[in-house]
């Protein structure tokens, strides 16, 4: 246990975020290590931790994500354990058990989300792809097919789990341009495009192509827009542990400016009026010429720029040229002929950043500076190249030109994708607006998207586990809760209930679930929805974490009528469909969400009141998940009927809550408050 | 007649259809006696009769049509053979009488006319982009555009509109060499066979007739080995833009026949890609096209016909090395090999294994554990301000990082330090003679880059660790499928360095060791010794070593096309109102005006802003009007204005080729755009 504590303490930051989102559920297991400092801007890079910790973290996260193990039956578990033992040099046995337990509860909450996400939103589903295999497995064993085949399948499954387990996931806080923030879980397979899609779902922005994720480095005063095809996790891992770097979600007009006005970059020598009056047809031709041929053509840039390099303090002028192969300069006294050019730098290992306010920081001749550096360099260093342009126009030319040289065709592909997304979205929003008026469900969909990262399509595996594994027991109690409240919604969550019925029932349930999920993508969203309510109490900013963590654990303890819930759940499916349908329609329309949210908060507050029970949470966690699912649904339903006009309150409340909870103890407070809120909710319905 | 006629000022509009052909017609209806010469070149060639030229004179009426003349002629010669390729050539007027239904009168033939009856297809020595000379029958009677189509059909090159024929540079006193030159003979290919369908592998049927023919096809479709440095050095290299401009004065006129342009049988011409707008390249069908395009690009770079930087030259060198290596090992297959490092496929193979052997899971997992390298290496970290220098450690390379320990015995415990190589820069520092095997690493860290030197004891150790570092810097582990080939290529380059430093070029050139001077332009022969060049090319080679042949060729072409000066054909011109010569650069999408003194681009005009262009054939001046009332006019100094006119019209034609995959070439449109008054 000490080991665990140590490890956990290392992971504090992450745990904090997770716990916040998870609330009581996770809290119990996590509580062992007193988690503390919750920094708003904190992001977690695991790079500095040693290998074993690394693995553990992953496991923990996985557990949280409910990806791993949950769906494996006993043998599978063994296998997995073996594998892990082999793979992971130093995985202390105790932690494992721990991680497993928490993971299963989490699974419940997460799995529904994932299933929904896969059905609802395409981007997230792609990530989920690896998981598909599990479902067939679950059914197979029950059918008792050839043993060898089964074994093979299991091994394959185990390997996939393993693969999954090794996937790095980060909890990322993204600052919105209105000053608020959202917290997302991002796994290393996700690219920026997918993350943006998640954020679109969460924010109801207009989804135009300018929306970008930017990374800022306050220490170096740099800012860079992530390219849509980049993986988000990798650059974040380069951040130092004490970094003040932030991720912003904002509109950057320069991101795709070259595709909107290619003449500004490719014909930059022409006079401004010609550029301004450029016909659309000519723009298209320019794009075609430079981006659609066999080779990507880099704008022909040449300018005298000021350079500060090698750690020197002075700026010197040089005549630079941009070529596809790198940046060159003309040595003094030489001609501009290609053969005389000296290579200043090539783009393989560097990224280009906009610099801010370098006139005061580095005594630059102007404030229009950009920087080239290896992404891992986070502090001032002689290896950073500082360049200064005479005006903003030149700076944008160069930064964009460098991006074209570095990323080539990907840039154009990204733009096309973003464009498509924007078009679809505007269509959706229009629709949604109409639908939203009638249906409040949209918010669920958003959640689903948020989960998108959690491609873990393992709902089925979860079921299995439930049948065989101890953790499941707790869930059953929760189901009753759900049953009592809005049983229908929690189809995904329900899996836990099956346990009583035994494997058979579980398999059936799984099948049903599948159907449900496919038919009623909305239901999962419903599941997701719950999170929205919780966030208010916990964090205004952290929407995503809620997805993973079902706060309701307390409910579990109090409500042991799982079987009924199960039954109801099974039978209930029909009722949910209508809701789901509504949801599905509403899903697309982000705008409605805000509307919905309001309604949710009230219920939450209620829950908080009941929160008292939380103390028991540790055992209940699993049930909590289930319970949680119901809780959210309840709000959803309410919202559906009410139309949820009384939105925002939750957010405001959260901050106060936060203040209350600090460190481990604080967390506990938060948890309890959440519990209370949950209770209240329950009581309200 | 029409051929020589000069119209004062003919206008062309892109959109307009041209005027009706203006036929010369002579009304004189007198009885003529035509002096007809039968020039039996074919026989002289094939039957080697001492003198097969007979001149016959007989009388015909001016109402007799050309076909009738031919029939009479054939009857009179009383030689039985296939005359179908023969046609009548009017020598004085430099004109073919191809319209057999026209009467002599209509052609304006008078009694003094000297007509030659001869085959339309004659042998021609054709220099290919890869430097090899072919001998084949080309059409001497049709416009060069159609002649090129015929040649390309025979050689299996798609999109013949992109190529044309060029008069070669005068060769000075090279007679001796010429005789020794190997010429591939395609004259045996029957003209009719060209229409036969291609074989399954894309090879035209006529190349499958004999082993010799297959060898020719291989020559056409497989890249040539790098030329010896002396060969490169001996070739003519344009030293300036003006030199380059002179080359463009040698293009043949696409709208007139070879005969009309004074080309005789057995003359030598070059076949080259003229328009740098390569449409729809499909490696499956374009083996010859792609190969010849690559060869042309390669020579353009080796001869500095197009400028590039040193870094780019090294990359071109590395690609040439790779391409020649791969094409030797897999001459035919242009397939791309996908590495199996994807976990999915790895899983699949695992599965297969499992089913086959029924091995346990733990065994499987053992198979999955990544390989490692363990050895004593000397490490030096210059940044640490310690003067200790190299110190020996037990190093363990695992995944993408190196952990080092005091000794092997302590390697079970915690390492002294672990170096993560992902994203680092790896540079070699090797001197075979001095027995120095250093690996220079620049490891990125939040504070900057840390320098670390690894010193290896021997070649073997160096190759392994270097390969591992290179893969790791790209985020690949030792388990990656490319590890072994990486080691191999490092060995190869080490061997090259060895031979280069040892004896001076007398080493039998095995394909393993190329003189790296063969891969770069002569400028770098002077600048660097081969052994200095080798590590630089190896360095660039890193990034391309895994490419398949097709991918490597494609990459070469892409980098070539991304050069700023790519696609520019230069002509020296005199702008109206200007007193000095300037250079006009003609690119696929624009015209540029270059100041000869400074070498700067003064002005750019894009074709898509062009409204019309006119040629004043009397004063040989071109006038172009662009949108926004921009008018330019210039006369051409180093090339006929027909050539410039054809370049511009040709590029506009190239841009009209649409995505629809119709194989038929719109020949008429091409001539309309490029032909000038003669075509109208």
């Amino acid at each position: 246990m000490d080991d665990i504590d140590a490890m956990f303490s290392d992971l504090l930051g992450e745990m904090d975020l997770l716990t916040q989102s998870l609330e009581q559920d996770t809290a119990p297991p996590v509580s062992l290590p007193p988690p503390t400092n919750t920094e708003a801007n904190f992001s977690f890079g695991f790079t500095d931790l040693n290998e074993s910790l690394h693995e553990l973290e992953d496991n923990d996260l996985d557990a949280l994500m409910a990806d791993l193990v949950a769906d494996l039956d006993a043998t599978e578990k063994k296998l997995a354990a073996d594998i892990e033992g082999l793979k992971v040099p130093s995985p202390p046995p105790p932690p494992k058990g721990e991680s497993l337990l928490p993971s299963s509860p989490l699974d419940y909450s997460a799995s529904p989300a994932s299933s929904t996400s896969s059905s609802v939103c395409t981007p997230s589903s792609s990530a989920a792809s690896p998981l598909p295999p599990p479902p067939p497995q679950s059914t197979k064993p029950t059918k008792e097919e050839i043993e060898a085949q089964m074994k093979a399948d299991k091994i394959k499954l185990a390997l996939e789990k393993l693969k999954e387990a090794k996937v790095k996931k980060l909890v990322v806080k993204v600052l919105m341009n209105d000053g608020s923030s959202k917290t997302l879980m991002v796994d290393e397979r996700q690219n920026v495009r997918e993350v943006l899609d998640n954020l679109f779902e969460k924010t109801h922005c207009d989804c135009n192509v300018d929306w970008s994720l930017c990374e800022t480095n306050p220490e170096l005063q740099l800012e860079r827009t992530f390219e849509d095809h980049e993986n988000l996790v990798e650059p974040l891992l380069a951040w130092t542990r004490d970094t003040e770097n932030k991720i912003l979600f904002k509109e950057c007009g320069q991101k795709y400016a070259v595709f909107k006005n290619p003449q500004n970059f490719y014909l930059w020598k022409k006079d401004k009026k010609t550029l301004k009056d450029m016909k659309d047809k000519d723009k298209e031709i320019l794009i075609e010429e430079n981006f659609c041929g066999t080779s990507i053509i880099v704008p022909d840039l040449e300018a005298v720029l000021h350079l500060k390099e090698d750690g020197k303090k002075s700026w010197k002028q040089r005549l630079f040229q941009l070529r596809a192969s790198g940046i060159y300069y003309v040595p003094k006294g030489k001609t501009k002929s290609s053969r005389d050019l000296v290579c200043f730098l090539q783009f393989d290992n560097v990224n280009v950043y906009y610099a801010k306010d370098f006139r005061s920081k580095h005594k630059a001749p102007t404030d229009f500076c950009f920087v080239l550096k290896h992404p891992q360099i986070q502090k001032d260093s002689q290896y950073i190249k500082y360049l200064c342009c005479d005006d903003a126009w030149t700076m944008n030319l160069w930064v964009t030109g460098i991006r074209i040289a570095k990323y080539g065709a990907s840039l154009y592909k990204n733009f096309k994708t973003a464009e498509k997304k924007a078009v679809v979205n505007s269509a959706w929003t229009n629709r949604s607006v109409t639908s939203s008026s009638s249906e409040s469900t949209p918010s669920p969909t958003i959640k689903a998207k948020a989960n998108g990262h959690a491609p873990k399509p393992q709902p089925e595996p979860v079921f299995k586990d439930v049948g065989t594994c101890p953790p499941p027991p707790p869930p059953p109690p929760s189901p009753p809760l759900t049953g009592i409240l809005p049983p229908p919604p929690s189809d995904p969550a329900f899996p836990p209930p099956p346990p009583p019925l035994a494997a058979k029932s579980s398999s059936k349930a799984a099948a049903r679930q599948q159907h449900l999920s496919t038919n009623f993508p909305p239901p999962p969203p419903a599941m997701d929805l719950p999170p929205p309510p919780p966030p208010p109490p916990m964090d205004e900013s952290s929407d995503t974490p809620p997805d993973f963590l079902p706060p309701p654990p307390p409910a579990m303890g109090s409500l042991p009528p799982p079987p009924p819930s199960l039954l109801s759940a099974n039978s209930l499916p029909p009722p949910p469909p209508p809701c789901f349908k509504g949801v599905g329609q509403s899903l697309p329309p982000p705008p409605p969400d805000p509307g919905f949210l309001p309604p949710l908060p009230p219920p939450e507050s209620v829950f908080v009141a009941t929160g008292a029970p939380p103390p028991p949470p540790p055992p209940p966690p699993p049930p909590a998940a289930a319970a949680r699912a119901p809780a959210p649904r309840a709000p959803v339903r309410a919202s559906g009927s009410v139309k949820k006009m009384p939105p925002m309150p939750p957010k405001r409340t959260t901050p106060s809550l936060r203040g209350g909870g600090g460190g481990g103890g604080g967390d506990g407070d938060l948890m309890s408050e959440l519990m209370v809120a949950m209770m209240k909710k329950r009581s309200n319905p | 007649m029409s051929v020589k006629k000069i119209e004062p000022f003919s206008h062309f509009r892109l959109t307009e259809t041209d005027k009706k052909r203006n036929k010369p017609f002579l009304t004189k209806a007198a009885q003529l006696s035509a002096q007809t010469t039968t020039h039996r070149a074919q026989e002289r060639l094939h039957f080697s009769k001492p003198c097969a030229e007979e001149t016959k004179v007989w009388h015909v009426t001016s109402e007799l049509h050309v076909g009738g003349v031919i029939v009479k002629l054939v009857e009179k010669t009383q030689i039985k053979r296939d005359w179908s390729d023969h046609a009548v050539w009017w020598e004085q007027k430099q004109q073919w009488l191809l319209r057999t239904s026209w009467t002599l009168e209509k052609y304006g033939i008078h009694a003094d006319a000297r007509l030659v009856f001869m085959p339309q297809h004659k042998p021609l020595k054709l220099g290919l982009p890869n430097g090899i000379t072919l001998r084949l029958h080309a059409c001497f009677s049709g416009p060069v555009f159609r002649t090129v189509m015929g040649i390309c059909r025979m050689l299996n090159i798609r999109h013949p509109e992109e190529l044309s024929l060029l008069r070669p540079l005068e060769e000075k006193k090279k007679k001796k060499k010429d005789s020794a030159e190997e010429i591939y003979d395609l004259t045996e290919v029957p003209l009719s066979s060209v229409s036969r369908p291609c074989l399954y592998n894309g090879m035209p049927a006529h190349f499958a007739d004999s082993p010799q023919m297959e060898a020719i096809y291989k020559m056409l479709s497989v890249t040539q080995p790098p030329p010896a440095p002396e060969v490169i050095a001996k070739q003519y290299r344009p030293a300036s833009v003006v030199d380059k401009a002179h080359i463009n004065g040698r293009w043949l006129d696409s709208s007139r026949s070879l005969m009309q342009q004074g080309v005789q049988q057995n003359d030598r011409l070059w076949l080259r890609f003229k328009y740098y707008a390569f449409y729809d390249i499909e490696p499956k069908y374009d083996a010859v096209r792609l190969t010849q395009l690559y060869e042309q690009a390669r020579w353009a770079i080796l001869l500095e016909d197009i400028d590039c930087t040193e870094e780019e030259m090294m990359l071109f060198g590395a690609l040439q090395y790779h391409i020649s290596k791969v094409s030797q090992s897999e001459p035919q297959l242009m397939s791309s090999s996908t590495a199996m490092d994807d976990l999915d496929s790895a899983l699949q193979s695992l599965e297969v294994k499992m089913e086959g052997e029924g091995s346990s899971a733990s065994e499987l997992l053992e198979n999955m554990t990544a390989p490692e390298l363990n050895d004593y290496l000397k490490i030096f970290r210059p940044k640490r301000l310690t003067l200790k220098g190299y110190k020996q450690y037990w190093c363990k390379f695992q995944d993408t990082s190196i952990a080092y320990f005091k000794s092997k015995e302590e390697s079970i415990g915690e390492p002294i330090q672990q170096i993560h190589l992902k994203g680092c820069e790896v540079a070699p520092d090797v001197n075979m003679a001095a027995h120095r095997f250093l690996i220079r690493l620049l490891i990125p860290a939040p504070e900057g880059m840390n320098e670390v030197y690894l010193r290896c004891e021997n070649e073997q150790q160096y190759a392994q660790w270097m390969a591992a570092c290179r893969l790791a810097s790209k985020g690949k582990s030792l388990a990656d499928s490319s590890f072994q080939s990486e080691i191999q290529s490092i060995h190869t380059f080490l061997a090259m360095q060895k031979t280069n430093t040892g004896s001076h070029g007398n080493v039998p050139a095995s394909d393993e060791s190329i003189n790296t001077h063969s891969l770069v332009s002569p400028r770098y022969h002077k600048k660097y010794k081969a052994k200095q060049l080798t590590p630089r090319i190896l360095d660039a080679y890193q990034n391309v070593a895994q490419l398949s042949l097709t991918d490597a060729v494609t990459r070469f072409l892409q980098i070539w096309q991304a050069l700023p000066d790519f696609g520019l054909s230069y002509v020296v011109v005199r702008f109206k109102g200007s007193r000095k010569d300037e250079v006009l650069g003609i690119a696929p999408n624009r015209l540029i005006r270059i100041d000869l003194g400074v070498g700067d681009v003064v002005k750019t005009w894009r074709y898509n802003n062009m409204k019309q262009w006119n040629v004043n054939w009397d004063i040989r001046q071109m006038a172009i009007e662009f949108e926004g009332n921009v008018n330019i006019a210039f006369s051409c100094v180093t090339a006929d204005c027909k050539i410039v006119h054809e370049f511009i019209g040709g590029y506009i034609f190239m841009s009209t080729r649409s995505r629809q995959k119709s194989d038929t070439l719109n020949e008429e449109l091409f001539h309309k755009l490029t032909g000038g008054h003669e075509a109208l």
Side-chain angles (χ1 to χ4, degrees), chain A residues 39-96:
Chain A
E39 286 204 11
N41 314 330
F42 204 62
S43 74
F44 313 98
F46 305 114
T47 39
D48 16 13
L49 301 180
N50 64 30
E51 276 301 307
S52 62
L53 276 179
H54 224 10
E55 293 294 338
L56 277 175
E57 290 175 6
D58 285 348
N59 285 341
D60 288 338
L61 277 176
D62 287 353
L64 292 174
M65 303 299 295
D67 299 341
L68 259 186
V69 201
D71 51 341
L72 299 174
D73 60 354
T75 53
E76 281 175 350
K77 271 192 176 178
K78 272 189 186 175
L79 268 178
D82 287 348
I83 294 164
E84 294 218 3
L86 290 171
K87 276 273 161 179
V88 184
S90 58
K96 269 207 171 183

Side-chain angles (χ1 to χ4, degrees), chain A residues 252-319:
Chain A
C252 299
Q254 280 302 322
K255 186 181 183 187
Y256 290 126
V258 67
F259 301 113
K260 295 180 201 157
N261 287 301
Q263 74 279 10
N264 290 348
F265 299 88
Y266 284 94
L267 307 176
W268 56 277
K269 286 178 185 163
K270 302 251 182 208
D271 61 281
K272 303 272 190 275
K273 189 177 172 298
T274 326
L275 295 183
K276 214 179 144 204
D277 297 344
M278 182 70 62
K279 284 177 286 190
D280 284 350
K281 204 187 102 222
D282 290 340
K283 292 182 188 176
E284 275 167 34
I285 290 175
L286 272 177
I287 291 177
E288 179 116 350
E289 273 174 11
N290 295 295
F291 289 95
C292 304
T294 40
S295 183
I296 302 295
I297 307 300
V298 173
D300 205 359
L301 299 183
E302 179 183 299
V304 174
L305 304 179
H306 307 266
L307 165 70
K308 173 175 138 45
E309 65 172 348
D310 298 341
K312 291 183 190 130
K313 287 197 171 165
S314 61
W315 294 80
K316 60 183 168 190
Q317 289 197 339
R318 271 200 174 145
L319 179 55

Side-chain angles (χ1 to χ4, degrees), chain B residues 145-165:
Chain B
F145 188 73
R146 196 173 299 161
T147 305
V148 173
M149 282 170 72
I151 292 171
C152 288
R153 207 179 307 129
M154 186 181 290
L155 303 184
N156 195 29
I157 298 176
R158 298 195 313 145
H159 295 289
E161 67 274 14
E162 291 161 5
L163 296 94
S164 192
L165 295 172

Side-chain angles (χ1 to χ4, degrees), chain B residues 553-620:
Chain B
V553 169
T554 310
R555 175 75 68 86
F556 190 98
L557 295 177
Q558 278 174 350
I559 302 172
W560 175 52
Q561 292 178 65
L563 294 176
D565 293 342
F566 167 80
L568 283 173
S569 306
Y570 301 101
V571 186
V572 176
V573 298
R574 178 75 63 90
F575 276 91
K576 199 175 171 184
S578 168
R579 294 177 144 223
K580 56 176 184 184
D581 284 349
E582 282 167 277
V583 172
L584 181 75
I586 306 165
N589 57 357
R590 68 193 190 277
L591 296 174
I592 59 173
R593 179 178 182 172
I594 300 168
D595 184 300
L596 259 180
V598 199
D600 272 357
V601 175
V602 181
K603 194 88 183 136
T604 302
W605 303 281
R606 293 172 53 82
Y607 297 146
N608 57 312
N609 289 331
M610 196 156 88
K611 286 172 88 175
Q612 64 169 344
W613 81 102
N614 312 304
V615 184
N616 183 332
W617 298 104
D618 282 343
I619 56 171
R620 316 301 282 177

Side-chain angles (χ1 to χ4, degrees), chain A residues 88-172:
Chain A
V88 184
S90 58
K96 269 207 171 183
E98 285 275 340
S99 66
L100 287 178
L101 286 175
S103 72
S104 62
L106 290 174
D107 283 351
Y108 299 114
S109 64
S111 64
S114 66
S115 67
T116 56
S117 71
S118 62
S119 59
V120 175
C121 53
T122 48
S124 58
S125 66
S126 66
S129 60
L131 301 171
Q137 270 215 346
S138 65
T139 56
K140 276 187 181 178
T142 55
K143 289 179 183 174
E144 295 192 341
E145 292 184 355
I146 308 161
E147 258 201 23
Q149 181 57 38
M150 244 178 66
K151 195 180 174 191
D153 282 348
K154 283 176 184 169
I155 292 176
K156 189 183 171 193
L157 179 74
L159 288 173
E160 276 171 13
K161 294 289 167 197
L162 186 70
K163 184 181 169 187
E164 184 82 355
K166 295 199 95 180
V167 172
K168 289 195 185 89
K169 293 167 188 105
L170 293 185
V171 176
V172 174

